[in-house]
Amino acid sequence: MNSQFGLMNVWTQGDFITRAVALLLIGMSLASWMVIIIKTLDVLKYKKIARSAEDFWHSEDFAAGLARLGNDPANPFRQLAIEGREATAHHRNTRAHLHDALDVSDWVTRSLRNTIDEFTSRLQSGLAVLASVGSTAPFIGLFGTVWGIYHALLAIGTAGQATIDKVAGPIGESLIMTALGLAVAIPAVLGYNALVRGNKGVLHKLNRFGHDLHAYFVTGARVTSSGPANVVPMKKA
């Protein structure tokens, strides 16, 4: 009885549409798992970087703090610190452009926000694939099931035999397409939710780091949470 069921039978006995649906679902599954694995590794890496970013504020000066952040150009905390430094230096040394009419606080805020937004876009890339797979895979599998059942019923009607042993095999094979669609969609949905939560944690720490950098470049000190006016000074580079 087992030989009458299975994905292999669906492939060998199915027509072009059935095979195309199966290939599409397999491709969607591979794409979603690739995104899940790659983005999970990215989130773990950025969480580790975020934990070590606090060492920046225990440095004697900005240059030493930047050194503690490492030399990885993909480090968003390092990028944010460099962008804030360059924005502050640009504002203080030039007055040639219209945007230099902004005060230093607004200009540094704008520069830091642009860097955070660029990193956010990079961090969230690929999530649209998981969202699309999670929302469409069950319906694609259902389409394969309906198509398979339709052709199974046509074949049974042509043969003129409608006994249970003749119906169970083709119908059961068609239902495999629905199961395949769910097997593709469920990991994509769970992976999407987990990555969104991980991204929010990283971005929260990056935004907090950017807030501290803004206070440092504008006032020369980092604002702490132990009081409304409590600051921790750090020498300029």
Side-chain angles (χ1 to χ4, degrees):
M1 185 68 176
N2 291 337
S3 61
Q4 297 179 359
F5 295 91
L7 186 59
M8 186 58 66
N9 277 355
V10 176
W11 179 264
T12 56
Q13 298 179 12
D15 59 359
F16 171 76
I17 299 297
T18 302
R19 295 177 181 179
V21 170
L23 286 176
L24 179 59
L25 289 174
I26 293 173
M28 293 170 69
S29 178
L30 291 175
S32 62
W33 277 109
M34 287 179 60
V35 171
I36 290 173
I37 293 173
I38 293 174
K39 302 305 292 185
T40 298
L41 293 176
D42 285 344
V43 170
L44 293 177
K45 179 182 72 173
Y46 290 132
K47 282 186 175 181
K48 182 178 179 181
I49 292 174
R51 287 193 296 268
S52 62
E54 187 64 24
D55 294 338
F56 174 86
W57 300 109
H58 298 287
S59 306
E60 295 180 355
D61 54 31
F62 184 86
L66 199 61
R68 288 194 177 191
L69 293 177
N71 298 320
D72 185 5
N75 185 338
F77 295 87
R78 182 177 185 273
Q79 292 177 341
L80 202 61
I82 292 176
E83 182 64 27
R85 180 186 63 182
E86 293 179 351
T88 304
H90 174 81
H91 186 276
R92 291 175 177 173
N93 296 332
T94 63
R95 292 291 188 273
H97 304 96
L98 181 61
H99 56 241
D100 295 316
L102 297 172
D103 60 57
V104 63
S105 177
D106 292 339
W107 176 242
V108 172
T109 297
R110 179 179 180 274
S111 300
L112 294 177
R113 176 50 55 190
N114 288 341
T115 302
I116 292 176
D117 289 344
E118 290 176 2
F119 174 73
T120 301
S121 299
R122 188 166 69 250
L123 189 65
Q124 294 179 346
S125 63
L127 295 184
V129 174
L130 297 181
S132 299
V133 170
S135 60
T136 59
F139 299 102
I140 295 176
L142 183 60
F143 171 77
T145 294
V146 173
W147 186 268
I149 291 175
Y150 169 71
H151 279 270
L153 293 177
L154 286 181
I156 293 171
T158 302
Q161 297 176 343
T163 57
I164 188 63
D165 59 326
K166 299 296 183 182
V167 174
I171 299 300
E173 291 169 4
S174 299
L175 292 175
I176 291 177
M177 300 300 292
T178 298
L180 182 59
L182 294 175
V184 173
I186 291 174
V189 172
L190 295 178
Y192 176 85
N193 292 334
L195 289 173
V196 167
R197 288 194 300 270
N199 290 348
K200 285 183 178 180
V202 173
L203 291 174
H204 173 72
K205 293 181 179 179
L206 186 63
N207 277 282
R208 186 171 60 186
F209 185 73
H211 174 76
D212 291 340
L213 283 175
H214 175 269
Y216 167 72
F217 286 118
V218 174
T219 67
R222 174 198 179 195
V223 178
T224 67
S225 59
S226 58
N230 190 19
V231 295
V232 179
M234 186 172 72
K235 296 178 181 179
K236 297 285 186 179

